[in-house]
Amino acid sequence: MDFTAQRLVFRAGDEGYEEEIAGFQTGFAQRPEIVFGASSADDVVAAVSYAADAGLPVGVQATGHGLPGASEGGVLISTRRMDSVSVDAAARTVTVGAGVRWGQVIEAAAEHGLAPLNGSAPSVGAVSYTLGGGLGVLAREFGYAADHVRWLDVVTADGALRHVTAESEPELFWGLLGGGANLGVVTALEIGLVPVARVYGGAIEFDGREVDPAAVLRAYEAWTRTVPDEVTSSVAALVYPDLPQLPPQLRGRYLVTVRVAYTGSEAAGERLVAPLREIGPTVSDSLREMPYIESHTIHSDPDFPHSYYGDSVVVGELDVAAACELFAMTGPAAEKMHVVQINQLGGALAKPAGPAENAVPYRDAGWLVRVLSPLDGTDLDAVRAVQARAFGLFAAEGRLLNFAFAAGDRPDGLYDPETRKRLAELKATYDPANLFRRNYGVTATG
């Protein structure tokens, strides 16, 4: 089949090749042999069939937040043109294409007083985020995004386009949600929305050189024991570099920040966060009632491409002493910049997925500990060594796929043994030749 004549195809050296493979993550280069700029499910079918016939590995990229390393020397399917969003307000669902970003969904749903279970950054791809589980801004109240999926359209390694529901193919449905990009290329999915039009939320920032970070951690952990499931929150710390690109008030500053999202009333929210405001003097306090379309301001994640490496561990109970040590080793005394974030889990995240189970692991975990390290001018091995020491402070139960930023090549701990075994059985059924090699250590042989 002459794909060049019929479809948008790029090879190394072609005009547009570099632009097509570029993404949000700039720290790792990928050099696929051929890139298919997919605009439809038929394009994806053609690309997968081509790769299977040629014996080439397949990677998929929507936004490039997480790079598909399996595309190296193989086939990369770029889905960013598949950006359709369709809201069914009566059913409280939205259908999204493979290249849709959460910001598009938030805006479309807001017109109907609804919200998706998106993450903190609106530039993240909705489909890939959901396939990894999807730990969002409202997670403790509503659970993982994967728990709300109704159906998926997926192209499997045999080139078949399958419409997968919990009733039609329950085992494949289970494995796609939590299994990531290991069993096929999802071209679209339908996911439930929640009746949320506004939230009370924002961030309280403390100067870590004026207010003891350990005191913030202890107060925050104690506070989380008192809040209802309608509160989703985290505490983060980083030393901003002294760079002219940053606002003067941030350059070189060490900030410890508590972030909060709450779906209750503003008055109830003010009462809930009162203990946080008593921790000490603040640099800023943005807690307020806001329309849900402003929920990205709670975390204010960087919206520009950059180079980074990150990972996470989940734990049952938070060892506050270990958390304090983590903040100390990544704070002003650290040689390089590190961003630390600790999320309270529990609530709906600890409950069964719903009518249909999925492969999202570690639902009994109470906390997520994350470390992300910028890579510009930094030795990757040195970053890995710091993160290994950091995570070694905790009695880890495992890791979460959504937060293995460029660390997806290290498969240990991404799944519990039973989930891994079940995923391997699915891999043997749907992709025995390991065409989709972004497999997180789960292959047809175990």
Side-chain angles (χ1 to χ4, degrees):
M1 184 180 297
D2 184 359
F3 283 86
T4 304
Q6 300 181 40
R7 291 185 166 85
L8 192 58
V9 174
F10 304 88
R11 297 180 185 273
D14 288 350
E15 183 179 354
Y17 175 87
E18 298 295 339
E19 181 182 355
E20 197 68 24
I21 66 174
F24 190 84
Q25 163 67 278
T26 64
F28 298 87
Q30 53 178 345
R31 307 302 300 179
E33 178 179 308
I34 184 169
V35 184
F36 291 90
S39 298
S40 67
D42 286 345
D43 289 345
V44 175
V45 168
V48 170
S49 299
Y50 173 89
D53 290 344
L56 295 174
V58 175
V60 185
Q61 178 171 303
T63 67
H65 275 256
L67 289 183
S71 67
E72 198 77 15
V75 170
L76 177 66
I77 302 173
S78 171
T79 64
R80 60 187 174 88
R81 296 169 183 83
M82 302 173 66
D83 60 353
S84 63
V85 176
S86 179
V87 173
D88 183 334
R92 291 183 181 172
T93 62
V94 61
T95 301
V96 299
V100 169
R101 300 169 187 245
W102 274 125
Q104 299 168 255
V105 186
I106 294 168
E107 290 184 6
E111 295 180 8
H112 307 280
L114 301 170
L117 295 179
N118 57 284
S120 59
S123 62
V124 167
V127 168
S128 55
Y129 161 97
T130 302
L131 298 182
L135 180 66
V137 176
L138 306 177
R140 277 176 36 86
E141 182 172 0
F142 297 105
Y144 289 98
D147 300 345
H148 297 260
V149 171
R150 309 295 179 85
W151 55 258
L152 312 94
D153 285 344
V154 59
V155 179
T156 45
D158 57 0
L161 176 61
R162 303 169 184 266
H163 184 72
V164 179
T165 69
E167 293 73 32
S168 66
E169 295 187 74
E171 196 66 9
L172 181 57
F173 183 88
W174 172 88
L176 288 169
L177 298 171
N182 192 22
L183 298 171
V185 182
V186 173
T187 62
L189 58 77
E190 182 183 81
I191 189 168
L193 301 170
V194 295
V196 173
R198 37 71 59 203
V199 292
Y200 175 86
I204 300 180
E205 294 182 319
F206 302 92
D207 188 321
R209 293 185 175 92
E210 296 179 1
V211 178
D212 183 4
V216 178
L217 276 166
R218 287 191 293 268
Y220 169 71
E221 191 275 340
W223 176 76
T224 62
R225 295 176 182 271
T226 70
V227 298
D229 293 350
E230 290 78 15
V231 173
T232 300
S233 69
S234 62
V235 60
L238 75 153
V239 180
Y240 283 92
D242 189 4
L243 296 174
Q245 299 96 313
L246 292 174
Q249 68 271 22
L250 292 181
R251 295 175 194 169
R253 199 156 201 173
Y254 179 38
L255 293 182
V256 181
T257 306
V258 179
R259 297 154 172 169
V260 177
Y262 171 58
T263 57
S265 70
E266 181 178 16
E270 286 286 305
R271 289 193 295 271
L272 278 171
V273 302
L276 299 177
R277 287 174 165 151
E278 295 173 356
I279 293 173
T282 63
V283 173
S284 67
D285 182 342
S286 66
L287 288 165
R288 67 197 188 281
E289 185 169 68
M290 67 180 78
Y292 192 76
I293 56 172
E294 295 180 8
S295 61
H296 65 278
T297 64
I298 295 172
H299 291 78
S300 296
D301 291 333
D303 60 359
F304 53 87
H306 57 285
S307 173
Y308 51 94
Y309 184 90
D311 211 340
S312 70
V313 293
V314 291
V315 298
E317 295 290 331
L318 182 64
D319 184 333
V320 178
C324 292
E325 187 173 348
L326 170 62
F327 274 32
M329 68 177 288
T330 57
E335 293 183 4
K336 300 292 183 181
M337 176 182 175
H338 304 279
V339 183
V340 176
Q341 182 167 312
I342 301 176
N343 294 66
Q344 184 190 17
L345 303 180
L349 296 166
K351 297 174 183 177
E357 61 172 359
N358 57 48
V360 178
Y362 307 120
R363 289 181 178 269
D364 60 343
W367 294 87
L368 170 71
V369 181
R370 302 163 53 187
V371 180
L372 185 145
S373 307
L375 288 180
D376 291 334
T378 303
D379 179 72
L380 179 57
D381 288 338
V383 166
R384 285 174 169 153
V386 170
Q387 293 193 7
R389 293 199 305 274
F391 295 127
L393 297 170
F394 299 89
E397 295 181 3
R399 303 159 60 215
L400 289 190
L401 184 59
N402 277 149
F403 303 104
F405 298 119
D409 56 342
R410 185 169 70 83
D412 54 298
L414 289 174
Y415 299 103
D416 59 88
E418 182 56 35
T419 300
R420 180 180 295 279
K421 178 177 181 293
R422 194 169 166 186
L423 286 171
E425 292 170 351
L426 277 170
K427 187 73 169 176
T429 299
Y430 290 97
D431 186 19
N434 198 26
L435 190 69
F436 306 109
R437 295 182 193 171
R438 184 74 183 270
N439 53 39
Y440 322 108
V442 179
T443 65
T445 56

